[in-house]
Amino acid sequence: MTLDRAGRLVGIVLISLLALSATLARAAEPLASWNDGPTKSRILGFVQAVTDRASRDYVPPAGRIAVFDNDGTLWSEQPVYSQLHFAIDRVRSLAPSNPRWKTQQPFKAAIEGDMKALAATGEKGLLQLVMVSHAGMTSDEFTRIVKDWLATARHPKFNRPYTDLVYQPMLEVLDYLRANGFRTYIVSGGGIEFVRAFSEEKYGIPPEQVIGSSIRTRYEVRNGQPVIVRLPEIDFIDDKAGKPVGIHKFIGKRPIAVFGNSDGDFEMLEWATSAPGPRLGVLVRHDDGEREFAYDRASHIGRLARGLDEAPTRGWTITSMKRDWKTIYPP
Amino acid sequence: MTLDRAGRLVGIVLISLLALSATLARAAEPLASWNDGPTKSRILGFVQAVTDRASRDYVPPAGRIAVFDNDGTLWSEQPVYSQLHFAIDRVRSLAPSNPRWKTQQPFKAAIEGDMKALAATGEKGLLQLVMVSHAGMTSDEFTRIVKDWLATARHPKFNRPYTDLVYQPMLEVLDYLRANGFRTYIVSGGGIEFVRAFSEEKYGIPPEQVIGSSIRTRYEVRNGQPVIVRLPEIDFIDDKAGKPVGIHKFIGKRPIAVFGNSDGDFEMLEWATSAPGPRLGVLVRHDDGEREFAYDRASHIGRLARGLDEAPTRGWTITSMKRDWKTIYPP
């Protein structure tokens, strides 16, 4: 053996040992950004029970399905959903080719950043905004537009990219569940293609495990190349009672673990946790106005009231961001 | 060590060796029910290329998505789709509580087994038949009804359960692809819940990897128990140009391997195989009237014309059931 070759071997062994020790460290301390307390214990205890073959609560890997709301559960949703910021920015960038928008609502409000006037246009106005910003292009073009936006846009309060504002403790829950044989899904009221544009990179969740609201699409061959074209018509609203419908349609199984933060997630938690067998229902409560935002019953976004009232009788765990989370965002 | 214990150990070792040799045999001869020829070589060569890290056609496991049509590609579809037989049998079993059906089309035709009269009621008649047989119950009830039917119904030509009429060579393709890191999906014009009722047991394809046509559903709480209720409204038709749309919606990735048998699969093959990189497109041709059925251009079900015409220029492989398959059905 040459010295050179011996050196390389030593290097390989060292790298292997480092990788091993990192793995062991992770295995030794899951949920490192969680303070000890009832939520952390509940999550650890649940995963222990369903993965222990000797436990009467054992669940084979095929049944280990965990679903997560996105806005307010995996990343910040205040002061307004990131996707609404995206729609507004998109309208602004399209405004030069649509001069009539300057005097036409809801576009005028979006261009001027007048959120009050925008809200006054109601559901109809918001829908118009979504359609001009989300439809009319191919799916590949839309993904590119979203990725470009995510790379440059900044959150108004934190002045950081939106994708920096994912919750470190929840990333650890995703990792921990996957390390224990779970498949992790997003079930978002947001647009399925919008979320897919960053879910794999930021959450380790591939496109086929993202469920969300959608607009209709059409298959077309353009200049010999097939494309999926996005149409300005609602296909499916994945919110409230739509969430169990979406889960059933895409997965065809009832999840055993479910994480949400608002009454938009109520039915999804209800559906998953009212089946027999071990079930985990967790609601993230936004009570940390200093590090993030504080809101629940009175909020226009991410309203949480019925969930708070019924969590105790339904066996759902309320996570306090203030009390349970050592850090909010990744370092 | 007691003799008894030694005996048990020998038994364990023998069983392990047997299991190992079976594994090796499988590994040594994939696609055992396929005759040597262009299709078998094409499938083996493709899988070899995309799994070989040294190949310029290497595809990481996350991109190894293979999609399969169901009727006529994974199981027999003649003389009429199994799901139509199911609908007819269901109407018959509901007929006693619906006495007016005796004189009302399309129900009269279904009850009397008059396929000509049934066909004469057209798309509207068939839709009515599907709605009364597929809607009005919960998703759990529907799955139970389908499973009960599959357990008792018999194919009119072969007098065997429909699920016996899956194609052994295609089961081997599914196994072979999965053994090489592929995820296998069904993309069926048939009903998603109908196919899910047997896809895991018969094909090893879990519910979350089944895409199909669907009716609308609604989430409801009945006597404190949440259910998914099936409504008599079309949600999505997963056929022709709907197949790439369904694939994009459910998977969000473009498959690299696609298997079909009719012009209803044309767009799905076109979409998957016209992207850059290694692609496999296979059409199963029903040319074995002795062992199965012989039909293509003129058939009312599973019509294959454009696919035959364009396969050569598009690089798709035509599989002849007569020439390429040693056996049709599992032993």
Side-chain angles (χ1 to χ4, degrees):
Chain A
M1 190 184 288
T2 64
L3 264 178
D4 182 49
R5 194 156 162 230
R8 260 185 292 143
L9 272 177
V10 169
I12 288 165
V13 169
L14 276 178
I15 288 164
S16 306
L17 282 175
L18 281 172
L20 180 67
S21 77
T23 305
L24 289 174
R26 273 203 304 278
E29 201 190 354
L31 310 187
S33 301
W34 289 71
N35 289 314
D36 290 334
T39 310
K40 184 174 178 176
S41 310
R42 175 84 180 92
I43 297 171
L44 294 174
F46 171 79
V47 170
Q48 168 64 27
V50 301
T51 54
D52 176 1
R53 283 176 182 276
S55 157
R56 68 182 177 90
D57 285 340
Y58 176 74
V59 176
R64 291 183 208 156
I65 306 283
V67 295
F68 293 79
D69 168 58
N70 185 40
D71 293 309
T73 300
L74 293 180
W75 74 351
S76 289
E77 64 183 350
Q78 295 280 3
V80 294
Y81 299 122
S82 311
Q83 199 173 353
L84 182 55
H85 282 301
F86 164 77
I88 291 170
D89 286 349
R90 179 80 187 143
V91 163
R92 284 180 184 160
S93 76
L94 293 172
S97 0
N98 296 274
R100 289 167 57 192
W101 286 358
K102 264 188 225 162
T103 55
Q104 214 175 32
Q105 292 297 19
F107 311 107
K108 182 173 183 287
I111 293 164
E112 294 169 358
D114 184 345
M115 297 304 273
K116 211 173 145 185
L118 185 57
T121 66
E123 200 178 305
K124 195 178 155 231
L126 285 176
L127 206 59
Q128 276 184 283
L129 207 65
V130 167
M131 289 314 169
V132 303
S133 54
H134 288 66
M137 69 290 278
T138 71
S139 59
D140 286 347
E141 286 163 359
F142 181 72
T143 300
R144 172 53 42 215
I145 291 166
V146 174
K147 286 189 173 179
D148 287 348
W149 179 80
L150 286 170
T152 54
R154 292 292 178 273
H155 186 276
K157 174 170 171 177
F158 297 106
N159 195 30
R160 295 171 66 180
Y162 288 95
T163 46
D164 277 11
L165 304 177
V166 298
Y167 303 135
Q168 174 63 26
M170 294 304 290
L171 296 181
E172 293 167 8
V173 171
L174 289 170
D175 278 345
Y176 176 58
L177 289 174
R178 289 192 290 251
N180 282 282
F182 277 78
R183 244 159 324 135
T184 53
Y185 282 80
I186 288 174
V187 181
S188 175
I192 184 168
E193 293 300 314
F194 182 82
V195 178
R196 280 174 170 171
F198 61 92
S199 64
E200 184 137 36
E201 193 187 328
K202 293 299 163 182
Y203 303 132
I205 295 181
E208 64 268 31
Q209 285 162 224
V210 176
I211 304 169
S213 296
S214 53
I215 58 177
R216 285 192 189 280
T217 63
R218 183 178 58 219
Y219 177 79
E220 248 179 50
V221 179
R222 290 184 175 176
N223 307 321
Q225 284 307 312
V227 289
I228 304 283
V229 182
R230 297 172 58 81
L231 307 176
E233 291 167 56
I234 292 288
D235 174 47
F236 179 63
I237 301 290
D238 190 47
D239 195 28
K240 302 190 177 75
K243 290 204 171 191
V245 166
I247 293 169
H248 183 71
K249 187 195 298 200
F250 278 72
I251 313 180
K253 290 174 181 172
R254 226 151 141 172
I256 62 167
V258 50
F259 294 76
N261 79 298
S262 81
D263 285 348
D265 305 314
F266 189 92
E267 286 83 356
M268 163 166 92
L269 268 87
E270 176 178 63
W271 191 56
T273 62
S274 57
R279 304 283 154 162
L280 175 67
V282 177
L283 282 168
V284 174
R285 187 175 190 176
H286 294 264
D287 56 2
D288 196 329
E290 212 162 298
R291 294 187 299 172
E292 204 234 10
F293 299 95
Y295 58 99
D296 47 38
R297 293 176 187 277
S299 180
H300 62 297
I301 277 180
R303 181 171 179 272
L304 179 63
R306 191 177 171 202
L308 284 179
D309 294 337
E310 300 194 19
T313 54
R314 290 179 180 268
W316 299 344
T317 302
I318 306 274
T319 294
S320 155
M321 291 176 73
K322 191 170 182 171
R323 180 199 65 198
D324 293 328
W325 290 3
K326 286 182 192 164
T327 56
I328 305 284
Y329 302 122
Chain B
M1 189 186 288
T2 63
L3 265 179
D4 183 50
R5 196 156 161 231
R8 258 184 292 144
L9 271 179
V10 169
I12 289 166
V13 169
L14 276 178
I15 287 164
S16 307
L17 282 175
L18 281 172
L20 180 68
S21 77
T23 304
L24 289 175
R26 271 202 305 276
E29 201 190 352
L31 311 186
S33 302
W34 288 71
N35 289 315
D36 290 334
T39 310
K40 184 174 179 177
S41 309
R42 175 83 180 95
I43 297 172
L44 294 174
F46 171 79
V47 170
Q48 169 63 25
V50 301
T51 55
D52 176 3
R53 282 175 184 278
S55 158
R56 68 181 178 90
D57 285 340
Y58 177 74
V59 176
R64 293 184 207 155
I65 306 281
V67 296
F68 293 78
D69 167 58
N70 185 41
D71 293 308
T73 299
L74 293 180
W75 75 351
S76 289
E77 63 183 350
Q78 294 280 3
V80 293
Y81 299 124
S82 311
Q83 198 172 353
L84 181 56
H85 281 301
F86 165 77
I88 290 171
D89 286 349
R90 179 78 187 145
V91 162
R92 284 179 185 161
S93 74
L94 293 172
S97 0
N98 296 274
R100 288 168 55 193
W101 286 358
K102 263 187 229 163
T103 55
Q104 216 174 33
Q105 293 297 19
F107 310 108
K108 182 173 181 287
I111 293 165
E112 295 170 357
D114 184 344
M115 298 304 274
K116 210 174 148 187
L118 186 58
T121 67
E123 199 177 309
K124 197 180 154 228
L126 284 177
L127 205 61
Q128 274 184 285
L129 208 66
V130 167
M131 289 313 170
V132 303
S133 54
H134 287 67
M137 69 291 278
T138 70
S139 59
D140 286 348
E141 286 162 358
F142 181 72
T143 301
R144 172 53 42 216
I145 291 166
V146 174
K147 286 188 174 181
D148 287 349
W149 179 79
L150 287 171
T152 54
R154 293 290 178 278
H155 186 276
K157 175 172 171 177
F158 297 106
N159 195 31
R160 294 172 67 180
Y162 288 95
T163 47
D164 277 12
L165 305 176
V166 298
Y167 302 135
Q168 175 64 23
M170 294 304 290
L171 296 181
E172 293 167 8
V173 171
L174 289 170
D175 277 346
Y176 176 59
L177 289 173
R178 289 191 293 251
N180 282 283
F182 277 79
R183 245 158 323 133
T184 52
Y185 282 80
I186 288 173
V187 180
S188 175
I192 184 169
E193 293 301 314
F194 182 82
V195 178
R196 280 174 171 171
F198 61 90
S199 64
E200 186 140 33
E201 192 186 329
K202 293 298 163 182
Y203 303 132
I205 296 181
E208 63 269 30
Q209 284 162 226
V210 176
I211 304 170
S213 297
S214 54
I215 57 177
R216 287 194 187 278
T217 63
R218 184 177 59 219
Y219 177 79
E220 248 178 51
V221 179
R222 290 184 174 174
N223 307 320
Q225 284 307 313
V227 289
I228 305 284
V229 181
R230 296 171 59 80
L231 306 177
E233 291 166 57
I234 291 291
D235 174 46
F236 179 63
I237 300 291
D238 189 46
D239 195 27
K240 302 189 177 75
K243 290 204 171 191
V245 166
I247 292 170
H248 184 72
K249 186 195 298 201
F250 278 72
I251 312 180
K253 290 175 182 171
R254 221 151 144 174
I256 62 167
V258 52
F259 294 76
N261 78 298
S262 80
D263 285 348
D265 305 314
F266 188 92
E267 287 84 355
M268 161 166 95
L269 267 86
E270 175 178 62
W271 192 57
T273 61
S274 57
R279 306 281 154 163
L280 175 67
V282 177
L283 283 168
V284 174
R285 186 174 191 177
H286 295 263
D287 56 2
D288 195 330
E290 211 162 300
R291 293 187 300 171
E292 203 233 11
F293 299 95
Y295 58 99
D296 48 39
R297 293 176 187 276
S299 180
H300 61 298
I301 276 181
R303 181 171 179 271
L304 179 64
R306 192 177 170 201
L308 284 180
D309 294 337
E310 300 194 19
T313 55
R314 290 179 180 267
W316 300 343
T317 303
I318 306 272
T319 294
S320 155
M321 292 176 72
K322 191 170 181 172
R323 179 198 64 197
D324 292 327
W325 292 4
K326 285 183 191 164
T327 57
I328 306 284
Y329 302 122

